[in-house]
Amino acid sequence: DTGVSQDPRHKITKRGQNVTFRCDPISEHNRLYWYRQTLGQGPEFLTYFQNEAQLEKSRLLSDRFSAERPKGSFSTLEIQRTEQGDSAMYLCASSFALQGHRGTEAFFGQGTRLTVV
Amino acid sequence: AQSVTQPDIHITVSEGASLELRCNYSYGATPYLFWYVQSPGQGLQLLLKYFSGDTLVQGIKGFEAEFKRSQSSFNLRKPSVHWSDAAEYFCAVVTSGGGADGLTFGKGTHLIIQP
């Protein structure tokens, strides 16, 4: 299967701990997105990368959230000092697009479900 | 800023009956439009998309959608639903020419299939 993969699928953490999630996009895709989805809502866009460049990060929820894509392949999303309100599904998606263009459709991974206790 | 409205939070349909899920968007120019489906605990699967051209688009699993610019709508239809269609359906839009906004999703419509 060459789809988008996310790891771990589930994460339970204590409030105040740091967590990191990984996303491996479809190999030929150069654009990678992170979304958050809370119960009963549609996914909410957080940030995206064009290759290794993070071109939009103003929608990250707070300065406790950060994302990296060091070599333009896999990406990580880190949440520091987790709070109960961070409990959600974190989705990763990838697509192919030339810079400045909307590109092709995005393909989503199965997500990482975070529970902060 | 762009927005997507899915006015129906829940819809119940009998198996074999036809289905229409509504989606309206707010944006000045022509957006890219998508419908995704999400089964419990799963990621999102793309059903169909509209970029340009023919306003009636066909997707997977027998779904189709029609883009109506005058109504700012992109409603999803299926002539005969199956029990396996029970899921959450999301309409989404990409509007930025620079690709900077990612997808904007509606809140979703929960589809229930009655036997």
Side-chain angles (χ1 to χ4, degrees):
Chain A
D1 186 9
T2 57
V4 178
S5 65
Q6 293 187 244
D7 183 70
R9 293 289 308 280
H10 302 273
K11 177 72 176 179
I12 300 174
T13 191
K14 292 184 179 180
R15 190 174 52 190
Q17 297 295 303
N18 298 344
V19 294
T20 300
F21 310 138
R22 176 180 170 124
C23 172
D24 287 90
I26 294 171
S27 58
E28 58 267 30
H29 285 177
N30 60 354
R31 192 170 279 180
L32 186 149
Y33 304 84
W34 284 100
Y35 291 81
R36 183 182 77 157
Q37 186 178 21
T38 54
L39 197 63
Q41 300 294 317
E44 175 186 12
F45 171 68
L46 297 179
T47 187
Y48 92 105
F49 295 83
Q50 179 88 17
N51 300 308
E52 67 276 9
Q54 190 174 12
L55 298 185
E56 173 58 56
K57 55 183 180 181
S58 67
R59 308 266 285 272
L60 286 168
L61 301 163
S62 79
D63 59 7
R64 297 184 296 105
F65 287 72
S66 63
E68 293 183 343
R69 194 183 184 197
K71 297 183 179 179
S73 57
F74 74 92
S75 175
T76 57
L77 178 70
E78 181 182 18
I79 309 173
Q80 295 182 328
R81 305 180 304 281
T82 53
E83 302 172 355
Q84 285 190 321
D86 297 331
S87 295
M89 175 81 87
Y90 291 85
L91 294 164
C92 175
S94 70
S95 70
F96 179 80
L98 298 175
Q99 192 159 346
H101 293 261
R102 288 181 277 189
T104 63
E105 63 269 27
F107 293 84
F108 283 80
Q110 292 188 300
T112 295
R113 181 165 296 284
L114 173 66
T115 302
V116 182
V117 298
Chain B
Q2 65 273 13
S3 65
V4 176
T5 302
Q6 294 181 246
D8 303 305
I9 298 173
H10 300 278
I11 282 190
T12 301
V13 177
S14 297
E15 191 169 14
S18 63
L19 170 71
E20 183 170 31
L21 302 182
R22 296 183 290 166
C23 172
N24 293 94
Y25 67 90
S26 172
Y27 183 60
T30 300
Y32 286 5
L33 294 156
F34 306 84
W35 275 99
Y36 284 87
V37 61
Q38 187 177 38
S39 298
Q42 300 298 311
L44 293 145
Q45 181 182 21
L46 179 69
L47 287 175
L48 48 78
K49 62 184 185 285
Y50 173 77
F51 286 0
S52 65
D54 192 346
T55 57
L56 183 64
V57 294
Q58 302 297 319
I60 62 171
K61 303 185 179 185
F63 285 93
E64 67 177 26
E66 186 172 12
F67 170 59
K68 293 186 177 181
R69 184 189 304 275
S70 61
Q71 299 177 17
S72 297
S73 69
F74 188 57
N75 294 348
L76 182 72
R77 301 194 293 252
K78 186 170 185 178
S80 176
V81 298
H82 185 262
W83 65 266
S84 60
D85 293 325
E88 193 80 18
Y89 290 79
F90 293 96
C91 181
V93 60
V94 168
T95 57
S96 169
D101 292 335
L103 287 158
T104 298
F105 284 86
K107 292 189 176 182
T109 296
H110 184 61
L111 176 62
I112 301 166
I113 307 296
Q114 281 184 336

